[in-house]
Amino acid sequence: MRHTFPPWASAGWTDAGVIIPYRLWKWYGDRRFIDASWESMVRYMDFLEGNAEPYRINHGDWLAFEHHKKNAGDAMDGRQVKALNAYFRVWMAMLMREMAGATGRGAAERHYADEEAKLRQAFTAAYVGPDGTIKDEYKGQCNDLYMLKLGLCGGAAAVEATKRDLVDNIKACGNRLQTGFLGTAILMPTTRRRRGSAPWG
């Protein structure tokens, strides 16, 4: 099947072309899911890497409740969407690095490892404050979750501060989640208690 891409992408939505083969591989332990989609995934990643702002359709954490009242129906504050876009750039490089390594694609693994490192550095420079947590203007339940999921907090103290910020946010919203599709999708895997560790461990 021939895949083509229009001159835009949307973080978390068009990224499904990378996320789904990765999830299928993890669920079933069958690397053929990666092989079957590899060419398409590489072309998509080339598109992301070749555009300074590839995510031009900003659905964000669609149907999140947290900012509807402030933004006349927008799913997220525009500043928060920018941070979410940057999270997904990091995450896609992570997934590609891992899939390349699992299928013996050494050159691709090195490429995506370099890309991930570059994107992490850029994310920290743009969005992380001196205390290692995401800057206040980008905070929110969804973005706190992605800070924890992707290991983007600057040290153990920042991890604990981000956990507290997420819990405080939920309490301030009447003990209700405010996440939309993208935040809710990672909520349980990110916060569940693993055997022998604290939540988020």
Side-chain angles (χ1 to χ4, degrees), residues 59-71:
H59 296 305
D61 191 25
W62 193 248
L63 299 185
F65 293 99
E66 199 165 358
H67 294 280
H68 272 294
K69 292 181 181 179
K70 294 181 182 178
N71 294 289

Side-chain angles (χ1 to χ4, degrees), residues 42-104:
V42 168
R43 288 214 311 274
Y44 179 66
M45 293 299 293
D46 288 347
F47 170 79
L48 295 183
E49 292 172 30
N51 288 273
E53 293 188 22
Y55 294 134
R56 298 182 188 179
I57 305 297
N58 290 310
H59 296 305
D61 191 25
W62 193 248
L63 299 185
F65 293 99
E66 199 165 358
H67 294 280
H68 272 294
K69 292 181 181 179
K70 294 181 182 178
N71 294 289
D74 289 345
M76 294 182 82
D77 179 283
R79 293 169 299 180
Q80 290 180 317
V81 169
K82 288 186 66 176
L84 188 65
N85 290 351
Y87 287 128
F88 272 87
R89 289 297 310 279
V90 172
W91 194 18
M92 293 309 100
M94 284 177 60
L95 299 187
M96 292 296 287
R97 170 183 54 77
E98 189 174 347
M99 287 188 285
T103 55

Side-chain angles (χ1 to χ4, degrees), residues 180-196:
F181 285 103
L182 301 183
T184 302
I186 66 164
L187 180 66
M188 293 303 292
T190 302
T191 62
R192 69 173 178 240
R193 181 183 294 273
R194 296 178 183 149
R195 183 173 296 178

Side-chain angles (χ1 to χ4, degrees), residues 49-170:
E49 292 172 30
N51 288 273
E53 293 188 22
Y55 294 134
R56 298 182 188 179
I57 305 297
N58 290 310
H59 296 305
D61 191 25
W62 193 248
L63 299 185
F65 293 99
E66 199 165 358
H67 294 280
H68 272 294
K69 292 181 181 179
K70 294 181 182 178
N71 294 289
D74 289 345
M76 294 182 82
D77 179 283
R79 293 169 299 180
Q80 290 180 317
V81 169
K82 288 186 66 176
L84 188 65
N85 290 351
Y87 287 128
F88 272 87
R89 289 297 310 279
V90 172
W91 194 18
M92 293 309 100
M94 284 177 60
L95 299 187
M96 292 296 287
R97 170 183 54 77
E98 189 174 347
M99 287 188 285
T103 55
R105 293 175 164 94
E109 183 181 14
R110 291 188 293 274
H111 170 78
Y112 291 117
D114 290 344
E115 183 71 6
E116 179 188 347
K118 179 182 72 176
L119 291 166
R120 284 180 176 276
Q121 185 176 28
F123 183 93
T124 298
Y127 300 106
V128 177
D131 65 350
T133 68
I134 192 168
K135 294 176 182 177
D136 286 346
E137 60 265 36
Y138 305 110
K139 285 185 185 293
Q141 290 185 17
C142 179
N143 285 353
D144 281 344
L145 284 165
Y146 276 97
M147 286 292 288
L148 295 166
K149 175 180 176 60
L150 299 177
L152 286 162
C153 298
V159 169
E160 294 304 314
T162 301
K163 293 179 192 177
R164 288 194 302 271
D165 185 69
L166 176 60
V167 171
D168 289 346
N169 184 311
I170 293 170

Side-chain angles (χ1 to χ4, degrees), residues 168-178:
D168 289 346
N169 184 311
I170 293 170
K171 289 179 178 178
C173 293
N175 291 319
R176 295 183 177 90
L177 297 173
Q178 304 296 299

